[in-house]
């Protein structure tokens, strides 16, 4: 349906397009590359495209999982996880970890990544990733529709209790250089990703009243 030169649809009636545009509109989005361990100590590593930061102090990050997947089960069991920054050089390996491996299989090994112990949590960091957040579970929330019906999607929120940053990313008097890390962002469609470059940067200062 077209209204005032705009495509209009109601999600509960379908979008009528080749691919759901929601992911492309809310994006590009940072990737939640989440590593965890289950209660038996088995490692798991998986990327989540619904991910972001939600609070400064204390720092809280979160990701949403459609279905009760291994990452959610592990984090609820142990109360811990690690977020690892996905960079352009790690994009193919990140994609490898999205494979539906049998429960208990090691995605680190499958994707050729090196696990390294956290300083505070037992979940492993990705050694090749230049930034890691060690997290403690703060909330796991089952999402609901507007009328209160529960859906099979889980929002996992974690407090960042330790941060690891490669020092070369803290140039310019200690300011983190976003573009220098070459983060990979998820976009719409089945395969679209984006990067960031300094050529696209612009600055805005907050107004003073």
């Amino acid at each position: 349906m077209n209204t005032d030169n705009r495509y209009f649809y109601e999600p509960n009636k379908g979008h009528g397009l080749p691919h759901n545009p929601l992911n492309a509109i809310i994006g590009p989005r940072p990737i939640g590359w989440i590593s965890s361990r289950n209660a038996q100590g088995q490692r798991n590593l998986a990327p989540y495209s619904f991910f972001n930061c939600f609070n400064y102090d204390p720092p809280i990050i979160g990701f949403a999982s459609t279905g009760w997947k291994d990452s959610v089960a592990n984090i609820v069991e142990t109360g811990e996880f690690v977020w690892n920054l996905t960079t352009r050089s790690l994009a193919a390996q990140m994609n490898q970890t999205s494979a539906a491996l049998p429960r208990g299989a090691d995605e680190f090994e499958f994707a050729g990544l090196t696990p390294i112990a956290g300083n505070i949590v037992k979940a492993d960091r990705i050694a090749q990733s230049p930034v890691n957040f060690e997290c403690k579970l703060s909330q796991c929330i089952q999402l609901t529709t507007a009328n209160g019906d529960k859906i099979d999607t889980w929002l996992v929120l974690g407090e960042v209790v330790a941060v690891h940053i490669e020092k070369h990313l803290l140039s310019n008097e200690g300011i983190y250089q976003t573009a220098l890390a070459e983060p990979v962002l998820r976009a719409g469609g089945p395969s679209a990703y984006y990067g960031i470059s300094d050529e696209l940067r612009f600055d805005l200062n907050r107004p003073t009243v």
Side-chain angles (χ1 to χ4, degrees):
M1 178 179 177
N2 190 294
T3 304
D4 297 331
N5 293 321
R6 297 190 180 203
Y7 189 84
F8 172 82
Y9 70 94
E10 298 174 60
N12 63 352
K13 298 177 182 177
H15 51 75
L17 298 168
H19 195 276
N20 192 330
L22 179 70
N23 294 4
I25 295 167
I26 309 299
R29 304 178 311 282
I31 297 168
W33 204 6
I34 306 299
S35 51
S36 61
R37 283 181 178 265
N38 62 20
Q40 291 73 45
Q42 295 172 311
R43 284 190 292 263
N44 182 265
L45 178 61
Y48 290 87
S49 68
F50 286 126
F51 166 84
N52 223 304
C53 181
F54 298 100
N55 198 58
Y56 247 137
D57 188 17
I60 292 176
I61 63 172
F63 70 94
S65 172
T66 301
W68 187 265
K69 296 179 180 174
D70 289 349
S71 297
V72 181
N74 292 352
I75 293 165
V76 170
E77 280 182 7
T78 64
E80 301 177 339
F81 66 96
V82 175
W83 171 78
N84 305 274
L85 179 68
T86 302
T87 63
R88 184 65 186 88
S89 63
L90 294 171
Q93 288 163 293
M94 176 277 297
N95 192 50
Q96 282 286 96
T97 63
S98 68
L101 302 182
R103 182 168 174 77
D106 190 338
E107 287 84 2
F108 278 87
E109 182 178 335
F110 180 73
L113 296 163
T114 306
I116 184 171
N119 286 33
I120 295 177
V121 306
K122 293 181 180 178
D124 294 281
R125 301 183 286 122
I126 298 173
Q128 290 88 341
S129 175
V131 182
N132 319 101
F133 292 167
E134 299 183 39
C135 301
K136 295 275 191 177
L137 174 65
S138 57
Q139 291 174 277
C140 180
I141 304 165
Q142 185 173 11
L143 300 186
T144 68
T145 64
N147 62 13
D149 294 336
K150 292 182 178 180
I151 59 178
D152 190 25
T153 298
W154 305 85
L155 175 62
V156 177
L157 298 172
E159 179 180 347
V160 180
V161 295
V163 177
H164 305 259
I165 305 172
E166 288 192 1
K167 291 182 179 178
H168 78 279
L169 298 177
L170 295 172
S171 57
N172 192 21
E173 299 181 348
I175 297 174
Y176 181 81
Q177 301 300 300
T178 303
L180 186 60
E182 297 187 321
V184 171
L185 310 175
R186 188 69 171 95
S191 61
Y193 291 83
Y194 283 93
I196 291 175
S197 74
D198 270 324
E199 288 72 26
L200 299 175
R201 172 179 167 170
F202 63 95
D203 291 81
L204 295 172
N205 293 317
R206 291 187 180 183
T208 56
V209 179

